Amino acid sequence: MNAFYLYYLSYSSSQQETWGCFTAMHHLQCIFQVQRSLRCGSLASGSWLLLRTCRTHSSFPSTARPSPEGQQEDGARKDFSSRLATGPTFEHFLRSASVPQEKLLSPEVEDPPPYLTVDELLGRQRKVYLETYGCQMNVNDTEIAWSILQKNGYLRTNNLQEADVILLITCSIREKAEQTIWNRLHQLKVLKTKRLRSQVPLRIGILGCMAERLKEEILKKEKMVDILAGPDAYRDLPRLLAIAESGQQAANVLLSLDETYADVMPVQTSPSATSAFVSIMRGCDNMCSYCIVPFTRGRERSRPVASILEEVRKLSEQGLKEVTLLGQNVNSFRDNSEVQFNSAAVSTNLSRGFSANYKIKQGGLRFAHLLDQVSRIDPEMRIRFTSPHPKDFPDEVLQLIHERDNICKQIHLPAQSGSSRVLDAMRRGYSREAYVELIHHIRESIPGVSLSSDFIAGFCGETEEDHLQTVSLLQEVQYNMGFLFAYSMRQKTRAYHRLKDDVPEEVKLRRLEELITVFREEATKANKTSVGCTQLVLVEGLSKRSATDLSGRNDGNLKVIFPDVEMEDVTNSGLRVRAQPGDYVLVKITSASSQTLKGHVLCRTTLKDSSTYC
């Protein structure tokens, strides 16, 4: 079902007219409720729904242009506003809904809505500045958004001052992440105010999870924000920006049941990059009590395996040496697009001692199949994946990681807490004992595996004893990497509705500092076991702290620093070379800290040949 949820508002400078808009919104929300109740496939797949604005003119002053060209543009804007205010009718919606399904799915067909022309959807070489916050998925979303805008005639700029459109790809996982965006908007407000009237008006957009979570609040609080686009609405960016050109605020915050952007080839934002993110699934069904992700990213849905393999092949052809498969719950991947693999007889195996918060799904091509196929594309390309859930590590996945040289021996295993009581309150689906048993099983299955984890300090009802159990888990496991945060309650979550955020902020911060201290101590111990060993490192570039050193990452995803000197190339006997980004080199580790390894380089090699030395 492709029904969508679209806010389309026009705010005026008049308080009275503004309240009129809010009243209109109240009635329009009833339309949304009716639409959600529809179960008819053709109606649900309608590509747009226009909510009439309560003003026909822009709430922002029109740019004064004394020239004939300016008068012509003002006339075009008035014509656009007129079309916007008078259409489409309900007949337009029914006509659109009756379009054959094959036409709707055709990438060549991009009919504009009745209130826009094809030309108005084009960027006309306006410059876009993209700013990314948050997780790796947001990095990939930035590349998807830019791919869509680039095809519509927009140009990319890294200079904020020359941008015509500024888009912030945002995060909502914690309050601090959202506050960063509010602060940034205040800075951009100054830039927008200072925009010369002779220039194209500056448009500002909020994309991603914060747009999804705080849609109404952003539009009401920040009138300088022109567009909002949720994580599943990036295809709609050209239309939203076209509407913004009339001075209206526009938003599409649909959460789709099937959008995966499978047919959109992300454009790498860094031409010199050695690695890339490949999104394989979106959304999450786990509904952990503390987590906002299911409400900002929607339900789980996976890309077809074929589209993922095609993207990885293209990245290999471009010379990239590492791919990270992405998903909010990446190892729950399930491709149901091929009917022959949808048999209920294909069982779903969870990690031993783990359970799911939802009815176990059956059938489809699972993560082990995808990982197997991806790893076969290019033996010289490293494969990673994040972020997994501990429940979805059946033996076939662990065995595959062990067997394939180009699948990194590194697993992210979010624990969140070391207390079984807190884990139950978090609805994680496992106890401390089951988690520790899985750790032992992974280390037995994949010798030398590097482990990382996430932890939350000060969750609802966490006692000092619960906290000490988390401390002891850090000491017992000795993770190589960790991501630790103080709990931040999010609206809409189960914890918000059913639990009490009763750990004082100063206690949360004190416990967080204690966890960080213990983690660093234990990670240093774990990483020091690498001293004296030779490791394969993928070179990323110059070290940020020294112009005479290079930086790269080992199989366990730890940063490795080594001198930028000439070395032997084992694939070309007698040849001396300097390492370049994208090269594999062997480094003998001489020292270690909680976050970094240091060593001296031995030679340039290949992933295949490195197994002789490592």
Side-chain angles (χ1 to χ4, degrees), residues 333-338 341-343 346 362-366:
F333 176 87
R334 184 188 304 274
D335 173 17
N336 292 112
S337 64
E338 299 189 42
F341 297 109
N342 284 340
S343 170
V346 181
Q362 304 295 340
L365 296 173
R366 301 305 315 280

Side-chain angles (χ1 to χ4, degrees), residues 422-436:
V422 173
L423 289 170
D424 183 59
M426 290 178 166
R427 301 184 81 234
R428 290 292 288 170
Y430 55 85
S431 64
R432 175 195 174 110
E433 291 73 24
Y435 180 88
V436 170

Side-chain angles (χ1 to χ4, degrees), residues 281-574:
M281 56 90 68
R282 301 175 76 86
C284 183
D285 289 347
N286 287 314
M287 299 298 289
C288 299
S289 63
Y290 57 83
C291 190
I292 191 64
V293 167
F295 303 95
T296 59
R297 290 278 181 174
R299 302 296 297 272
E300 285 181 11
R301 64 272 189 200
S302 300
R303 282 176 64 179
V305 167
S307 74
I308 298 168
L309 299 182
E310 180 184 4
E311 184 174 341
V312 173
R313 285 191 194 97
K314 288 181 179 178
L315 293 171
S316 173
E317 291 167 1
Q318 293 170 19
L320 274 74
K321 292 295 183 67
E322 184 176 279
V323 159
T324 301
L325 306 179
L326 288 182
Q328 269 78 34
N329 190 25
V330 67
N331 55 339
S332 71
F333 176 87
R334 184 188 304 274
D335 173 17
N336 292 112
S337 64
E338 299 189 42
V339 178
Q340 65 268 33
F341 297 109
N342 284 340
S343 170
V346 181
S347 62
T348 296
N349 299 321
L350 299 182
S351 306
R352 286 177 284 184
F354 287 68
S355 62
N357 292 328
Y358 51 83
K359 183 180 179 181
I360 296 297
K361 306 164 191 175
Q362 304 295 340
L365 296 173
R366 301 305 315 280
F367 185 63
H369 173 86
L370 175 67
L371 198 57
D372 170 52
Q373 295 299 305
V374 169
S375 67
R376 293 176 185 272
I377 290 174
D378 183 352
E380 289 297 312
M381 176 182 275
R382 272 181 171 172
I383 310 300
R384 300 187 189 277
F385 57 89
T386 199
S387 177
H389 191 286
K391 78 176 191 310
D392 291 307
F393 275 108
D395 287 348
E396 53 265 33
V397 171
L398 300 179
Q399 182 179 352
L400 190 63
I401 295 172
H402 172 63
E403 290 176 354
R404 297 290 162 82
D405 290 336
N406 64 335
I407 301 179
C408 292
K409 310 301 181 281
Q410 181 253 329
I411 292 179
H412 185 61
L413 209 64
Q416 308 301 357
S417 175
S419 163
S420 293
R421 192 187 68 82
V422 173
L423 289 170
D424 183 59
M426 290 178 166
R427 301 184 81 234
R428 290 292 288 170
Y430 55 85
S431 64
R432 175 195 174 110
E433 291 73 24
Y435 180 88
V436 170
E437 183 181 342
L438 176 61
I439 291 284
H440 293 321
H441 182 54
I442 288 175
R443 283 180 164 157
E444 290 171 359
S445 303
I446 311 170
V449 67
S450 174
L451 296 176
S452 59
S453 192
D454 298 335
F455 286 92
I456 296 172
F459 182 67
C460 304
E462 183 187 74
T463 65
E464 201 64 26
E465 175 58 30
D466 294 324
H467 167 64
L468 291 177
Q469 288 184 39
T470 302
V471 170
S472 71
L473 183 63
L474 286 168
Q475 293 169 332
E476 181 177 355
V477 176
Q478 284 194 344
Y479 299 96
N480 300 89
M481 297 176 66
F483 305 89
L484 299 87
F485 304 95
Y487 175 62
S488 176
M489 180 170 272
R490 306 278 79 192
Q491 291 183 0
K492 296 186 179 180
T493 62
R494 186 183 181 93
Y496 178 81
H497 290 292
R498 302 196 180 191
L499 302 177
K500 186 177 180 181
D501 189 8
D502 54 1
V503 179
E505 192 65 24
E506 61 272 18
V507 175
K508 288 181 184 178
L509 295 178
R510 189 258 301 167
R511 290 177 182 173
L512 176 61
E513 285 302 316
E514 290 177 2
L515 293 181
I516 291 173
T517 298
V518 173
F519 159 73
R520 286 176 175 167
E521 291 172 352
E522 299 304 323
T524 300
K525 294 177 186 176
N527 295 338
K528 279 186 175 180
T529 62
S530 297
V531 173
C533 298
T534 298
Q535 296 195 349
L536 181 69
V537 176
L538 177 60
V539 181
E540 294 179 336
L542 286 172
S543 169
K544 293 180 180 179
R545 297 189 178 183
S546 171
T548 61
D549 288 336
L550 292 175
S551 174
R553 293 193 178 269
N554 67 2
D555 197 65
N557 209 26
L558 275 173
K559 183 178 291 186
V560 181
I561 307 296
F562 56 94
D564 181 10
V565 297
E566 281 193 347
M567 69 195 77
E568 179 188 357
D569 185 346
V570 297
T571 61
N572 293 281
S573 181

Side-chain angles (χ1 to χ4, degrees), residues 231-252:
D232 294 343
Y234 300 141
R235 294 181 192 271
D236 205 24
L237 284 172
R239 188 189 67 84
L240 296 176
L241 286 167
I243 291 172
E245 281 305 293
S246 74
Q248 312 290 339
Q249 286 182 306
N252 183 344

Side-chain angles (χ1 to χ4, degrees), residues 146-378:
W146 171 231
S147 176
I148 292 166
L149 291 173
Q150 187 182 54
K151 288 179 180 178
N152 279 270
Y154 287 86
L155 301 178
R156 180 79 180 271
T157 180
N158 292 320
N159 185 345
L160 184 66
Q161 300 300 321
E162 69 177 22
D164 303 310
V165 178
I166 298 173
L167 301 177
L168 308 183
I169 295 84
T170 62
C171 173
S172 266
I173 198 72
R174 280 172 288 278
E175 184 178 354
K176 184 179 179 181
E178 292 182 347
Q179 189 56 51
T180 300
I181 301 301
W182 290 120
N183 295 341
R184 186 57 169 153
L185 285 175
H186 292 155
Q187 297 169 1
L188 296 177
K189 191 172 187 177
V190 175
L191 188 65
K192 190 166 186 175
T193 303
K194 291 182 178 179
R195 186 81 165 186
L196 296 176
R197 294 176 68 83
S198 60
Q199 293 179 285
V200 175
L202 176 63
R203 303 303 178 195
I204 296 175
I206 301 295
L207 278 56
C209 293
M210 189 168 167
E212 191 69 47
R213 195 181 90 81
L214 298 175
K215 36 199 172 271
E216 298 100 332
E217 183 177 343
I218 294 172
L219 291 176
K220 293 175 185 177
K221 185 176 178 180
E222 293 294 348
K223 302 296 191 295
M224 46 84 74
V225 172
D226 299 289
I227 72 165
L228 294 181
D232 294 343
Y234 300 141
R235 294 181 192 271
D236 205 24
L237 284 172
R239 188 189 67 84
L240 296 176
L241 286 167
I243 291 172
E245 281 305 293
S246 74
Q248 312 290 339
Q249 286 182 306
N252 183 344
V253 289
L254 160 73
L255 282 180
S256 171
L257 290 176
D258 52 20
E259 178 62 271
T260 62
Y261 300 107
D263 60 329
V264 178
M265 181 65 182
V267 177
Q268 298 299 308
T269 55
S270 175
S272 61
T274 60
S275 60
F277 296 121
V278 174
S279 174
I280 68 168
M281 56 90 68
R282 301 175 76 86
C284 183
D285 289 347
N286 287 314
M287 299 298 289
C288 299
S289 63
Y290 57 83
C291 190
I292 191 64
V293 167
F295 303 95
T296 59
R297 290 278 181 174
R299 302 296 297 272
E300 285 181 11
R301 64 272 189 200
S302 300
R303 282 176 64 179
V305 167
S307 74
I308 298 168
L309 299 182
E310 180 184 4
E311 184 174 341
V312 173
R313 285 191 194 97
K314 288 181 179 178
L315 293 171
S316 173
E317 291 167 1
Q318 293 170 19
L320 274 74
K321 292 295 183 67
E322 184 176 279
V323 159
T324 301
L325 306 179
L326 288 182
Q328 269 78 34
N329 190 25
V330 67
N331 55 339
S332 71
F333 176 87
R334 184 188 304 274
D335 173 17
N336 292 112
S337 64
E338 299 189 42
V339 178
Q340 65 268 33
F341 297 109
N342 284 340
S343 170
V346 181
S347 62
T348 296
N349 299 321
L350 299 182
S351 306
R352 286 177 284 184
F354 287 68
S355 62
N357 292 328
Y358 51 83
K359 183 180 179 181
I360 296 297
K361 306 164 191 175
Q362 304 295 340
L365 296 173
R366 301 305 315 280
F367 185 63
H369 173 86
L370 175 67
L371 198 57
D372 170 52
Q373 295 299 305
V374 169
S375 67
R376 293 176 185 272
I377 290 174
D378 183 352

